[in-house]
Amino acid sequence: MMSDTFNIDGQEIPFTPGQSVMQAALTAGVFIPHLCYHPEFRPHGSCKLCTVKVNGRPASSCTLPAAAGMEVESNTPEILDKRRSLLQMLLVEGNHFCPSCEKSGNCQLQALGYELEVFTPHFNQFYPNRPVDASHPDILLDLNRCILCELCIRASAEVDGKNVFSLSGRGITKHLIVNAESGKLGDTDFALTDKAAQVCPVGVILPKRIGFAVPIGQRHYDAAPFSAHVDEFKPTAASQGERS
Amino acid sequence: MNAPRKLKVATASLAGCFGCHMSFLDIDERLLDLLELIEFDRTPLTDIKHVGANGPVDIGIIEGGVCNAENVHVLRDFRANCKILISLGACSVNGGLPAQRNHLDLRDILKAVYSTDTGLASGTQVPNDAELPLTLNMVHPLHEVVKIDYFIPGCPPSGDAIWKFLTDLLAGQTPHLGHGLIHYD
């Protein structure tokens, strides 16, 4: 089955037909930065953190089907610089104040910032005025940190069958909305057990009353950097089957 | 042979809490090693009032963002007198906690604190004295006001992170903070 290979930064990566460059890389234990990718969902290709150069042209590794003989550049100074700029743009577009965020240490945006040594947001801060929705009894919705990865939207629609979330607006006005007449999460059938409550890579969807149950310093990305968690992102049989 | 000239270092806290300065002191006895290499110009530890008053400064280190007119003045003074300017800590890097007022109207905040809040003495008004620096509408990170050469994020950055960064810099190499030293919180 595994007969074909392609090449990432000089390393031969085997793949099965239908696998994306990202899936094959993760299966082989090679980390490619990502935020909107999740092993249980179809690729989205929106965050562009997984951008690589394939035969000299940039592409999103999560949406690009692997093909035999590809020459992929990932950990090059040029690509890493582009990924840093993307992270910096995400950081200034929202309100990302890690010292007061309960997701700190469990946040993929933060962990990627550490991984890529992003010391500064570099650009001018937007400081947008975004609401916090505390109407749900079990879940806090803090839109200040939303990066529009659509994982909660995908999870609620595809797994939970509830369609609780959606995006509204275009361009810089695009934002996450809640599917209720009032726009409040408390007026939906959203539940803590929903898949959509488990997939937020940043600190938007937060279960209430457990904020600091695990202390800072003992959290998911404290012991080892994001790239060392590559096994958690390996594709599942189900996610591979979803690709055509 | 003469020992190499000691580098001059100046520090200041703008819209910060002095936590980063406390963390700087957390390098503990390594301060003695550091003092073999540097001498202090204006800092809260000396009593020098103006940065660069005794000649050009090699490294300026600033904690806290910019929240009032005096902060802008001090920051520009540092930039004009320091060869290398370092932004130290979350507030100087992205505005931090003080910047969380940025989506609120300044007039409303001042009114809430000085005239409508409970427990105020009768007749309390929003302070308005020429001695007081004017508050800015928004809190800004340093790099939005002047060119910053290096950034050390963290609330506060640990003593170890500050030590690693400074020793890399003093050794003439690009500072790196590996996993465990780089922190935004």
Side-chain angles (χ1 to χ4, degrees), chain A residues 7 51 79 135 139 159 171 182 189 210 222 225:
Chain A
N7 176 308
T51 296
I79 297 288
S135 61
I139 296 141
V159 180
S182 63
D189 55 354
I210 62 157
D222 280 329

Side-chain angles (χ1 to χ4, degrees), chain B residues 70-155:
Chain B
E70 196 241 353
N71 292 160
V72 176
H73 180 78
V74 172
L75 178 57
R76 286 185 173 152
D77 225 18
F78 263 73
R79 181 67 279 181
N81 289 287
C82 300
K83 291 182 196 162
I84 293 173
L85 198 53
I86 302 177
S87 184
L88 178 69
C91 299
S92 66
V93 168
N94 76 351
L97 186 102
Q100 296 196 38
R101 74 162 163 90
N102 281 354
H103 67 283
L104 301 170
D105 182 74
L106 180 59
R107 189 183 300 262
D108 291 345
I109 301 173
L110 290 171
K111 271 191 194 159
V113 172
Y114 290 105
S115 61
T116 58
D117 204 4
T118 54
L120 292 169
S122 67
T124 305
Q125 289 182 334
V126 175
N128 181 20
D129 189 302
E131 287 282 308
L132 293 173
L134 285 173
T135 308
L136 304 181
N137 277 341
M138 280 183 140
V139 178
H140 295 275
L142 304 184
H143 70 270
E144 291 187 11
V145 182
V146 299
K147 162 98 167 77
I148 296 292
D149 302 298
Y150 294 99
F151 300 82
I152 312 177
C155 185

